[in-house]
Coordinates of all heavy atoms in Angstrom, one line a residue:
M1260 N 2.2 -3.5 17.0 CA 1.6 -2.2 16.9 C 1.6 -1.8 15.4 O 2.5 -1.9 14.7 CB 2.3 -1.1 17.8 CG 1.5 0.2 17.8 SD 2.3 1.4 19.0 CE 1.6 0.8 20.5
L1261 N 0.5 -1.2 15.0 CA 0.3 -0.8 13.6 C 1.2 0.4 13.2 O 1.3 1.4 14.0 CB -1.2 -0.3 13.4 CG -1.6 0.2 12.1 CD1 -1.5 -0.9 11.0 CD2 -3.0 0.8 12.1
R1262 N 1.9 0.3 12.1 CA 2.7 1.4 11.6 C 1.8 2.2 10.7 O 1.2 1.7 9.8 CB 3.9 0.9 10.8 CG 4.7 2.0 10.3 CD 5.9 1.4 9.5 NE 6.8 2.5 9.1 CZ 6.6 3.3 8.0 NH1 5.5 3.1 7.3 NH2 7.5 4.2 7.7
H1263 N 1.6 3.5 11.0 CA 0.7 4.3 10.3 C 1.3 4.8 8.9 O 2.4 5.3 8.9 CB 0.3 5.6 11.1 CG -0.5 5.2 12.3 ND1 -1.8 5.3 12.3 CD2 -0.1 4.7 13.5 CE1 -2.3 4.9 13.5 NE2 -1.3 4.5 14.2
S1264 N 0.6 4.4 7.8 CA 1.1 4.8 6.5 C 0.0 5.7 5.9 O -1.2 5.4 5.9 CB 1.2 3.5 5.7 OG 1.5 3.8 4.4
I1265 N 0.5 6.8 5.3 CA -0.4 7.8 4.8 C -0.4 7.8 3.2 O 0.7 7.7 2.6 CB 0.0 9.3 5.2 CG1 0.2 9.3 6.7 CG2 -0.9 10.3 4.7 CD1 -1.1 9.1 7.5
T1266 N -1.6 7.8 2.6 CA -1.7 7.9 1.2 C -2.5 9.1 0.8 O -3.5 9.5 1.4 CB -2.5 6.7 0.7 OG1 -1.9 5.5 1.1 CG2 -2.6 6.6 -0.8
V1267 N -1.9 9.9 -0.1 CA -2.6 11.1 -0.6 C -3.1 10.8 -2.0 O -2.5 10.3 -2.9 CB -1.6 12.3 -0.7 CG1 -2.3 13.5 -1.2 CG2 -1.0 12.6 0.7
T1268 N -4.5 11.0 -2.1 CA -5.2 10.8 -3.4 C -5.7 12.1 -4.0 O -6.2 12.9 -3.3 CB -6.4 9.8 -3.1 OG1 -5.9 8.7 -2.4 CG2 -7.0 9.4 -4.4
A1269 N -5.5 12.2 -5.3 CA -6.0 13.4 -6.1 C -7.4 13.1 -6.6 O -7.7 11.9 -7.0 CB -5.0 13.7 -7.2
Y1270 N -8.2 14.1 -6.6 CA -9.6 13.9 -7.2 C -9.9 15.0 -8.2 O -9.5 16.1 -8.1 CB -10.6 14.1 -6.0 CG -10.6 12.9 -5.1 CD1 -9.8 12.9 -4.0 CD2 -11.4 11.8 -5.3 CE1 -9.7 11.8 -3.1 CE2 -11.4 10.7 -4.5 CZ -10.6 10.7 -3.4 OH -10.5 9.6 -2.5
H1271 N -10.7 14.6 -9.2 CA -11.2 15.5 -10.2 C -12.3 16.3 -9.6 O -12.9 15.9 -8.5 CB -11.7 14.8 -11.5 CG -10.7 14.1 -12.2 ND1 -10.8 12.7 -12.6 CD2 -9.5 14.4 -12.7 CE1 -9.8 12.3 -13.2 NE2 -8.9 13.3 -13.3
A1272 N -12.8 17.4 -10.2 CA -13.9 18.2 -9.7 C -15.2 17.4 -9.6 O -16.0 17.7 -8.7 CB -14.1 19.4 -10.6
D1273 N -15.4 16.4 -10.4 CA -16.6 15.5 -10.4 C -16.6 14.5 -9.3 O -17.5 13.7 -9.2 CB -16.9 14.9 -11.8 CG -15.9 13.9 -12.2 OD1 -14.9 13.7 -11.5 OD2 -16.0 13.4 -13.3
G1274 N -15.5 14.4 -8.5 CA -15.4 13.4 -7.5 C -14.7 12.1 -7.8 O -14.5 11.3 -6.9
T1275 N -14.3 12.0 -9.1 CA -13.6 10.7 -9.5 C -12.1 10.9 -9.1 O -11.6 12.0 -9.1 CB -13.7 10.4 -11.0 OG1 -13.3 11.6 -11.7 CG2 -15.2 10.2 -11.3
I1276 N -11.4 9.8 -8.9 CA -10.0 9.8 -8.6 C -9.2 10.2 -9.9 O -9.5 9.6 -10.9 CB -9.5 8.4 -8.1 CG1 -10.2 8.2 -6.7 CG2 -8.0 8.3 -8.0 CD1 -9.8 6.8 -6.1
C1277 N -8.2 11.0 -9.7 CA -7.3 11.4 -10.8 C -6.1 10.4 -10.7 O -5.3 10.6 -9.8 CB -6.9 12.8 -10.7 SG -5.8 13.4 -12.0
P1278 N -6.0 9.4 -11.5 CA -5.0 8.4 -11.4 C -3.6 9.0 -11.5 O -3.4 10.1 -12.2 CB -5.2 7.5 -12.6 CG -6.6 7.8 -13.1 CD -6.9 9.2 -12.7
S1279 N -2.6 8.4 -11.0 CA -1.2 8.8 -11.0 C -0.7 8.8 -12.5 O 0.3 9.5 -12.8 CB -0.3 8.0 -10.1 OG -0.4 6.7 -10.5
A1280 N -1.4 8.1 -13.4 CA -1.0 8.0 -14.8 C -1.3 9.4 -15.5 O -0.7 9.6 -16.5 CB -1.6 6.9 -15.5
H1281 N -2.2 10.1 -14.9 CA -2.5 11.4 -15.5 C -1.4 12.4 -15.2 O -1.0 12.6 -14.1 CB -3.8 12.0 -14.9 CG -5.0 11.3 -15.4 ND1 -6.3 11.8 -15.1 CD2 -5.2 10.2 -16.2 CE1 -7.2 11.1 -15.7 NE2 -6.6 10.1 -16.3
R1282 N -0.8 13.0 -16.3 CA 0.3 13.9 -16.1 C -0.2 15.3 -16.1 O -1.2 15.7 -16.7 CB 1.3 13.7 -17.3 CG 1.9 12.3 -17.3 CD 2.8 12.1 -16.1 NE 3.1 10.7 -15.9 CZ 3.3 10.1 -14.8 NH1 3.1 10.8 -13.7 NH2 3.6 8.8 -14.7
H1283 N 0.5 16.2 -15.3 CA 0.2 17.6 -15.2 C 1.5 18.4 -15.2 O 2.6 17.9 -14.9 CB -0.5 17.8 -13.8 CG -1.7 17.0 -13.6 ND1 -1.7 15.7 -13.3 CD2 -3.0 17.4 -13.8 CE1 -3.0 15.3 -13.2 NE2 -3.8 16.3 -13.5
T1284 N 1.3 19.7 -15.6 CA 2.4 20.6 -15.5 C 2.7 21.0 -14.1 O 1.9 20.6 -13.2 CB 2.1 21.9 -16.3 OG1 1.1 22.6 -15.6 CG2 1.8 21.7 -17.7
A1285 N 3.8 21.6 -13.8 CA 4.1 22.0 -12.4 C 3.0 22.9 -11.9 O 2.8 23.0 -10.6 CB 5.5 22.8 -12.4
G1286 N 2.4 23.7 -12.7 CA 1.3 24.6 -12.3 C -0.1 23.8 -12.1 O -1.0 24.4 -11.7
G1287 N -0.1 22.6 -12.4 CA -1.3 21.8 -12.3 C -2.2 21.6 -13.5 O -3.2 21.0 -13.4
T1288 N -1.8 22.2 -14.6 CA -2.6 22.1 -15.8 C -2.5 20.6 -16.3 O -1.4 20.1 -16.5 CB -2.1 23.0 -16.9 OG1 -2.1 24.3 -16.4 CG2 -2.9 23.0 -18.2
P1289 N -3.6 20.0 -16.6 CA -3.5 18.6 -17.1 C -2.9 18.4 -18.5 O -3.2 19.3 -19.4 CB -5.0 18.1 -17.1 CG -5.8 19.4 -17.1 CD -5.0 20.4 -16.5
L1290 N -2.1 17.4 -18.6 CA -1.4 17.1 -19.9 C -2.1 15.9 -20.6 O -1.9 15.7 -21.7 CB 0.1 16.9 -19.7 CG 0.9 18.1 -19.3 CD1 2.3 17.7 -18.9 CD2 0.9 19.2 -20.3
T1291 N -2.8 15.1 -19.8 CA -3.4 13.9 -20.3 C -4.7 14.2 -20.9 O -5.6 14.9 -20.2 CB -3.6 12.9 -19.1 OG1 -2.3 12.6 -18.5 CG2 -4.2 11.6 -19.6
E1292 N -5.0 13.8 -22.1 CA -6.2 14.0 -22.8 C -7.4 13.5 -22.0 O -7.4 12.3 -21.5 CB -6.2 13.4 -24.2 CG -7.4 13.8 -25.0 CD -7.3 13.3 -26.4 OE1 -6.2 13.1 -26.9 OE2 -8.4 13.0 -27.0
G1293 N -8.4 14.3 -21.8 CA -9.6 13.8 -21.0 C -9.6 14.1 -19.5 O -10.6 14.0 -18.8
C1294 N -8.4 14.5 -19.0 CA -8.3 14.8 -17.6 C -8.7 16.2 -17.4 O -8.3 17.1 -18.1 CB -6.8 14.6 -17.1 SG -6.6 15.0 -15.3
T1295 N -9.6 16.4 -16.4 CA -10.2 17.7 -16.1 C -9.3 18.5 -15.1 O -9.6 19.6 -14.8 CB -11.6 17.6 -15.6 OG1 -11.6 16.8 -14.4 CG2 -12.5 17.0 -16.6
G1296 N -8.3 17.9 -14.6 CA -7.4 18.5 -13.6 C -7.7 18.0 -12.2 O -8.8 17.5 -11.9
R1297 N -6.7 18.2 -11.3 CA -6.9 17.8 -9.9 C -7.5 18.9 -9.2 O -6.9 20.0 -9.1 CB -5.6 17.4 -9.4 CG -5.0 16.2 -10.1 CD -3.6 15.9 -9.6 NE -2.7 16.9 -10.1 CZ -1.4 16.8 -10.1 NH1 -0.8 15.7 -9.6 NH2 -0.6 17.8 -10.5
E1298 N -8.7 18.7 -8.6 CA -9.3 19.8 -7.8 C -8.9 19.8 -6.4 O -8.7 20.8 -5.7 CB -10.8 19.7 -7.9 CG -11.5 20.8 -7.2 CD -13.0 20.5 -6.9 OE1 -13.3 19.4 -6.4 OE2 -13.8 21.4 -7.1
R1299 N -8.8 18.6 -5.8 CA -8.5 18.5 -4.4 C -7.7 17.2 -4.1 O -7.6 16.3 -4.9 CB -9.7 18.5 -3.5 CG -10.6 17.3 -3.7 CD -12.0 17.5 -3.0 NE -12.8 16.4 -3.2 CZ -13.6 16.1 -4.2 NH1 -13.6 17.0 -5.2 NH2 -14.4 15.1 -4.3
F1300 N -7.1 17.2 -2.9 CA -6.3 16.0 -2.4 C -6.8 15.7 -1.1 O -7.2 16.5 -0.2 CB -4.8 16.4 -2.3 CG -4.2 16.7 -3.6 CD1 -4.2 18.0 -4.1 CD2 -3.6 15.7 -4.4 CE1 -3.6 18.3 -5.3 CE2 -3.0 16.0 -5.6 CZ -3.0 17.3 -6.1
I1301 N -6.9 14.4 -0.8 CA -7.3 13.9 0.5 C -6.3 12.8 1.0 O -5.9 11.9 0.2 CB -8.7 13.2 0.5 CG1 -9.7 14.3 0.0 CG2 -9.1 12.6 1.8 CD1 -11.1 13.8 -0.1
A1302 N -5.8 13.0 2.2 CA -4.8 12.1 2.8 C -5.6 11.1 3.7 O -6.5 11.5 4.4 CB -3.8 12.8 3.6
T1303 N -5.3 9.8 3.6 CA -5.9 8.8 4.4 C -4.8 8.0 5.1 O -3.7 7.8 4.5 CB -6.9 7.9 3.6 OG1 -6.2 7.4 2.5 CG2 -8.1 8.7 3.1
C1304 N -5.1 7.4 6.3 CA -4.2 6.6 7.0 C -4.7 5.1 6.9 O -5.9 4.9 6.9 CB -4.1 7.1 8.4 SG -2.9 6.1 9.4
N1305 N -3.8 4.2 6.9 CA -4.2 2.8 6.9 C -4.8 2.3 8.2 O -5.3 1.3 8.3 CB -3.0 1.9 6.5 CG -1.9 1.9 7.6 OD1 -1.8 2.8 8.4 ND2 -1.1 0.9 7.6
C1306 N -4.8 3.2 9.2 CA -5.5 2.8 10.5 C -7.0 2.9 10.4 O -7.7 2.4 11.3 CB -5.0 3.7 11.7 SG -5.6 5.4 11.6
K1307 N -7.5 3.4 9.3 CA -8.9 3.5 9.0 C -9.7 4.4 10.0 O -10.9 4.4 10.0 CB -9.6 2.1 8.9 CG -8.9 1.1 8.1 CD -9.5 1.2 6.7 CE -9.0 0.0 5.9 NZ -8.0 0.2 4.9
K1308 N -9.0 5.2 10.8 CA -9.6 6.0 11.8 C -9.4 7.5 11.5 O -9.8 8.3 12.3 CB -9.0 5.7 13.2 CG -9.3 4.3 13.7 CD -8.8 4.0 15.0 CE -9.0 2.6 15.5 NZ -8.3 2.3 16.7
W1309 N -8.6 7.8 10.4 CA -8.3 9.2 10.2 C -8.3 9.4 8.7 O -7.8 8.6 7.9 CB -7.0 9.5 10.7 CG -6.5 10.9 10.4 CD1 -6.9 12.1 11.1 CD2 -5.8 11.4 9.3 NE1 -6.3 13.2 10.5 CE2 -5.6 12.8 9.4 CE3 -5.1 10.7 8.3 CZ2 -4.9 13.5 8.5 CZ3 -4.4 11.5 7.3 CH2 -4.3 12.9 7.5
T1310 N -8.9 10.6 8.3 CA -8.9 11.1 6.9 C -8.8 12.6 7.0 O -9.5 13.2 7.8 CB -10.1 10.6 6.1 OG1 -10.2 9.2 6.1 CG2 -10.1 11.2 4.7
S1311 N -7.9 13.2 6.2 CA -7.8 14.6 6.2 C -9.0 15.3 5.6 O -9.8 14.7 4.9 CB -6.6 15.1 5.5 OG -6.8 14.9 4.1
S1312 N -9.2 16.6 5.9 CA -10.2 17.3 5.2 C -9.6 17.6 3.8 O -8.4 17.7 3.6 CB -10.5 18.6 5.9 OG -9.3 19.4 6.1
P1313 N -10.5 17.7 2.8 CA -10.0 18.0 1.4 C -9.2 19.3 1.4 O -9.6 20.3 2.0 CB -11.3 18.2 0.6 CG -12.4 17.4 1.4 CD -12.0 17.6 2.8
S1314 N -8.1 19.3 0.6 CA -7.3 20.5 0.5 C -6.9 20.7 -1.0 O -6.9 19.7 -1.7 CB -6.0 20.3 1.4 OG -5.2 19.3 0.8
S1315 N -6.6 21.9 -1.3 CA -6.2 22.2 -2.7 C -4.7 21.8 -2.9 O -4.5 21.0 -3.9 CB -6.3 23.7 -2.9 OG -7.7 24.0 -3.0
P1316 N -3.8 22.2 -2.1 CA -2.4 21.7 -2.4 C -2.1 20.3 -1.9 O -2.5 20.0 -0.8 CB -1.5 22.8 -1.8 CG -2.3 23.4 -0.7 CD -3.8 23.2 -1.1
K1317 N -1.4 19.6 -2.7 CA -1.0 18.2 -2.3 C -0.1 18.3 -1.0 O -0.2 17.4 -0.1 CB -0.3 17.5 -3.4 CG 0.1 16.1 -3.1 CD 0.8 15.5 -4.3 CE 1.2 14.0 -4.1 NZ 1.8 13.4 -5.3
S1318 N 0.7 19.3 -1.0 CA 1.7 19.4 0.2 C 1.0 19.5 1.5 O 1.4 19.0 2.5 CB 2.7 20.5 -0.1 OG 2.0 21.7 -0.2
Y1319 N -0.2 20.2 1.5 CA -0.9 20.4 2.7 C -1.6 19.1 3.2 O -1.5 18.8 4.4 CB -2.0 21.5 2.5 CG -2.8 21.8 3.8 CD1 -2.2 22.5 4.9 CD2 -4.1 21.4 4.0 CE1 -2.9 22.7 6.0 CE2 -4.8 21.6 5.1 CZ -4.2 22.3 6.2 OH -4.8 22.5 7.3
A1320 N -2.1 18.3 2.2 CA -2.7 17.0 2.6 C -1.6 16.1 3.2 O -1.8 15.4 4.2 CB -3.3 16.4 1.4
A1321 N -0.4 16.2 2.6 CA 0.7 15.3 3.0 C 1.1 15.8 4.4 O 1.4 15.0 5.3 CB 1.9 15.4 2.1
E1322 N 1.1 17.1 4.7 CA 1.5 17.6 6.0 C 0.5 17.2 7.1 O 0.9 16.8 8.2 CB 1.6 19.1 6.0 CG 2.0 19.8 7.3 CD 3.4 19.3 7.8 OE1 4.3 19.0 6.9 OE2 3.6 19.2 9.0
Q1323 N -0.8 17.2 6.7 CA -1.8 16.7 7.7 C -1.5 15.2 8.0 O -1.7 14.8 9.2 CB -3.2 16.9 7.1 CG -3.7 18.3 7.0 CD -5.1 18.3 6.4 OE1 -5.3 17.8 5.3 NE2 -6.0 19.0 7.0
G1324 N -1.1 14.5 7.0 CA -0.8 13.0 7.3 C 0.4 12.9 8.2 O 0.4 12.0 9.1
K1325 N 1.4 13.7 8.0 CA 2.6 13.6 8.9 C 2.2 14.0 10.3 O 2.7 13.4 11.2 CB 3.7 14.6 8.4 CG 4.3 14.1 7.1 CD 5.4 15.2 6.7 CE 5.9 14.8 5.3 NZ 6.8 15.9 4.8
R1326 N 1.4 15.0 10.5 CA 1.0 15.4 11.8 C 0.2 14.2 12.5 O 0.3 14.0 13.7 CB 0.1 16.6 11.8 CG 1.0 17.8 11.5 CD 0.2 19.1 11.4 NE 1.0 20.2 11.0 CZ 0.6 21.4 10.9 NH1 -0.7 21.7 11.2 NH2 1.4 22.4 10.5
H1327 N -0.7 13.6 11.8 CA -1.5 12.5 12.3 C -0.5 11.4 12.8 O -0.6 10.8 13.9 CB -2.5 11.9 11.3 CG -3.0 10.6 11.6 ND1 -3.9 10.4 12.6 CD2 -2.7 9.3 11.1 CE1 -4.2 9.1 12.7 NE2 -3.5 8.4 11.8
R1328 N 0.4 11.0 11.9 CA 1.4 10.0 12.2 C 2.2 10.3 13.4 O 2.5 9.5 14.3 CB 2.2 9.7 11.0 CG 2.9 8.3 11.1 CD 3.5 7.9 9.8 NE 4.3 9.0 9.1 CZ 4.6 9.0 7.9 NH1 4.3 8.0 7.1 NH2 5.3 10.0 7.4
A1329 N 2.6 11.6 13.6 CA 3.4 12.0 14.7 C 2.6 11.9 16.0 O 3.2 11.8 17.1 CB 3.9 13.4 14.5
D1330 N 1.3 12.1 16.0 CA 0.5 12.0 17.2 C 0.2 10.6 17.7 O -0.3 10.5 18.8 CB -0.8 12.7 16.9 CG -0.7 14.2 16.8 OD1 0.3 14.8 17.2 OD2 -1.6 14.9 16.2
Q1331 N 0.6 9.6 16.9 CA 0.3 8.2 17.3 C 1.4 7.7 18.2 O 2.6 8.1 18.1 CB 0.2 7.4 16.0 CG -0.8 7.8 15.1 CD -2.2 8.1 15.7 OE1 -2.7 7.2 16.4 NE2 -2.7 9.3 15.6
P1332 N 1.0 6.8 19.1 CA 2.1 6.2 20.0 C 3.1 5.4 19.2 O 2.7 4.7 18.2 CB 1.3 5.3 20.9 CG -0.1 5.3 20.4 CD -0.3 6.3 19.4
Q1333 N 4.3 5.5 19.5 CA 5.4 4.8 18.8 C 5.6 3.4 19.4 O 5.5 3.2 20.6 CB 6.7 5.6 18.9 CG 6.6 7.0 18.3 CD 6.3 6.9 16.8 OE1 6.8 6.1 16.1 NE2 5.3 7.7 16.4
P1334 N 5.9 2.4 18.6 CA 6.1 1.1 19.2 C 7.4 1.0 20.0 O 8.3 1.8 19.8 CB 6.3 0.2 17.9 CG 6.6 1.1 16.8 CD 6.0 2.5 17.2
K1335 N 7.3 0.2 21.1 CA 8.5 0.1 21.9 C 9.5 -0.8 21.3 O 9.2 -1.8 20.6 CB 8.1 -0.5 23.3 CG 7.1 0.3 24.1 CD 6.7 -0.3 25.3 CE 5.7 0.6 26.1 NZ 5.3 -0.1 27.3
P1336 N 10.8 -0.3 21.4 CA 11.9 -1.1 20.7 C 12.0 -2.5 21.4 O 11.9 -2.6 22.6 CB 13.1 -0.3 20.9 CG 12.8 0.7 22.0 CD 11.3 0.8 22.0
T1337 N 12.3 -3.5 20.5 CA 12.6 -4.8 21.0 C 14.1 -5.0 21.1 O 14.9 -4.3 20.5 CB 11.9 -5.9 20.1 OG1 12.5 -5.8 18.8 CG2 10.4 -5.6 20.1
T1338 N 14.5 -6.1 21.7 CA 16.0 -6.4 21.7 C 16.5 -6.6 20.3 O 17.7 -6.4 20.1 CB 16.3 -7.6 22.6 OG1 15.5 -8.7 22.1 CG2 16.0 -7.3 24.1
A1339 N 15.7 -7.1 19.4 CA 16.1 -7.4 18.1 C 16.4 -6.1 17.3 O 17.2 -6.1 16.4 CB 15.1 -8.2 17.3
S1340 N 15.8 -5.0 17.7 CA 15.9 -3.8 17.0 C 17.0 -2.9 17.6 O 17.1 -1.7 17.2 CB 14.6 -3.0 16.9 OG 14.2 -2.6 18.2
K1341 N 17.8 -3.3 18.5 CA 18.8 -2.5 19.1 C 20.1 -2.4 18.3 O 21.0 -1.7 18.6 CB 19.2 -3.0 20.5 CG 18.0 -2.8 21.5 CD 18.5 -3.2 22.9 CE 17.3 -3.0 23.9 NZ 17.6 -3.4 25.2
G1342 N 20.1 -3.1 17.2 CA 21.1 -3.0 16.2 C 22.5 -3.2 16.7 O 22.9 -4.2 17.2
P1343 N 23.4 -2.1 16.5 CA 24.8 -2.2 16.8 C 25.1 -2.6 18.3 O 26.0 -3.4 18.5 CB 25.3 -0.8 16.6 CG 24.4 -0.3 15.6 CD 23.0 -0.9 15.9
A1344 N 24.3 -2.2 19.2 CA 24.5 -2.5 20.7 C 24.4 -4.1 20.8 O 25.2 -4.7 21.5 CB 23.6 -1.8 21.6
A1345 N 23.4 -4.7 20.3 CA 23.2 -6.1 20.4 C 24.3 -6.8 19.7 O 24.8 -7.9 20.2 CB 21.9 -6.5 19.8
L1346 N 24.8 -6.3 18.5 CA 25.9 -6.9 17.8 C 27.2 -6.9 18.6 O 27.9 -7.9 18.7 CB 26.0 -6.3 16.4 CG 27.0 -6.9 15.5 CD1 26.7 -8.3 15.2 CD2 27.1 -6.1 14.2
R1347 N 27.5 -5.7 19.2 CA 28.7 -5.6 20.0 C 28.7 -6.6 21.2 O 29.7 -7.2 21.5 CB 28.8 -4.2 20.6 CG 29.4 -3.2 19.6 CD 29.9 -1.9 20.3 NE 28.7 -1.3 20.9 CZ 27.9 -0.4 20.3 NH1 28.1 -0.2 19.0 NH2 26.9 0.2 20.9
E1348 N 27.5 -6.8 21.8 CA 27.4 -7.7 22.9 C 27.7 -9.2 22.4 O 28.3 -9.9 23.1 CB 25.9 -7.6 23.5 CG 25.8 -8.5 24.7 CD 24.4 -8.3 25.3 OE1 23.9 -7.1 25.3 OE2 23.8 -9.3 25.7
L1349 N 27.2 -9.5 21.2 CA 27.4 -10.8 20.7 C 28.9 -11.1 20.3 O 29.4 -12.2 20.3 CB 26.5 -11.1 19.5 CG 25.0 -11.2 19.8 CD1 24.2 -11.2 18.5 CD2 24.7 -12.5 20.6
L1350 N 29.5 -10.0 19.9 CA 30.9 -10.1 19.4 C 32.0 -9.9 20.4 O 33.2 -9.8 20.1 CB 31.1 -9.2 18.2 CG 30.2 -9.5 17.0 CD1 30.4 -8.4 15.9 CD2 30.6 -10.8 16.4
Q1351 N 31.6 -9.7 21.7 CA 32.6 -9.4 22.7 C 33.6 -10.6 22.8 O 33.2 -11.8 22.8 CB 32.0 -9.2 24.1 CG 31.4 -7.8 24.2 CD 30.7 -7.6 25.6 OE1 30.6 -8.6 26.3 NE2 30.4 -6.4 25.9
L1352 N 34.9 -10.3 22.8 CA 35.9 -11.3 22.9 C 36.3 -11.5 24.4 O 36.3 -10.6 25.2 CB 37.1 -10.9 22.2 CG 36.9 -10.7 20.7 CD1 38.2 -10.1 20.0 CD2 36.5 -11.9 20.0
D1353 N 36.6 -12.8 24.7 CA 37.0 -13.1 26.1 C 38.4 -12.8 26.2 O 39.3 -13.4 25.6 CB 36.7 -14.6 26.3 CG 36.9 -15.0 27.8 OD1 37.1 -14.1 28.6 OD2 36.9 -16.2 28.0
A1354 N 38.8 -11.9 27.1 CA 40.1 -11.4 27.3 C 40.9 -12.4 28.2 O 42.1 -12.2 28.3 CB 40.1 -10.0 27.9
E1355 N 40.3 -13.4 28.8 CA 41.0 -14.3 29.6 C 41.5 -15.5 28.8 O 40.9 -16.5 28.8 CB 40.1 -14.8 30.8 CG 39.7 -13.7 31.7 CD 38.7 -14.2 32.7 OE1 38.9 -15.3 33.1 OE2 37.8 -13.5 33.1
D1356 N 42.7 -15.4 28.3 CA 43.2 -16.6 27.5 C 44.3 -17.2 28.3 O 45.1 -16.8 28.9 CB 43.7 -16.1 26.2 CG 42.6 -16.0 25.2 OD1 41.5 -16.5 25.4 OD2 42.8 -15.3 24.2

């Protein structure tokens, strides 16, 4: 089953991607020469079936992604993923000596 991974991308006002190399102040003012600033953020899922609506704050786009991921069916655990319980079963000592 596919593990849903969310990516949040920043865009300039002209629709081009604002690369992560572009630095900004905490208030969003661009520090990189030539950067016009981040106008909106869009969250997308690797399932290719979901994309958030454009939002101004990055945190809102990320929250939309978390909600999408939470709504998806979770994979069923396998015996290999039972961790400590499987290990205890393998390490049981025979008390009949």
Side-chain angles (χ1 to χ4, degrees):
M1260 187 175 278
L1261 176 70
R1262 182 178 184 279
H1263 293 262
S1264 177
I1265 306 299
T1266 303
V1267 178
T1268 307
Y1270 290 88
H1271 296 130
D1273 65 0
T1275 59
I1276 293 176
C1277 183
S1279 59
H1281 285 188
R1282 298 293 168 216
H1283 300 81
T1284 64
T1288 305
L1290 295 172
T1291 303
E1292 188 176 330
C1294 181
T1295 58
R1297 299 175 286 195
E1298 183 199 46
R1299 66 187 180 279
F1300 296 89
I1301 298 178
T1303 54
C1304 181
N1305 66 338
C1306 72
K1307 308 270 192 256
K1308 297 179 184 175
W1309 177 86
T1310 299
S1311 72
S1312 55
S1314 67
S1315 292
K1317 183 178 182 178
S1318 58
Y1319 183 70
E1322 182 61 32
Q1323 287 179 311
K1325 287 179 188 176
R1326 289 180 184 182
H1327 165 71
R1328 198 167 44 197
D1330 289 342
Q1331 304 309 306
Q1333 299 300 314
K1335 295 180 182 178
T1337 63
T1338 55
S1340 66
K1341 290 185 180 176
L1346 185 58
R1347 276 194 301 276
E1348 187 177 318
L1349 291 171
L1350 295 175
Q1351 284 181 348
L1352 300 175
D1353 187 7
E1355 298 178 31
D1356 282 339

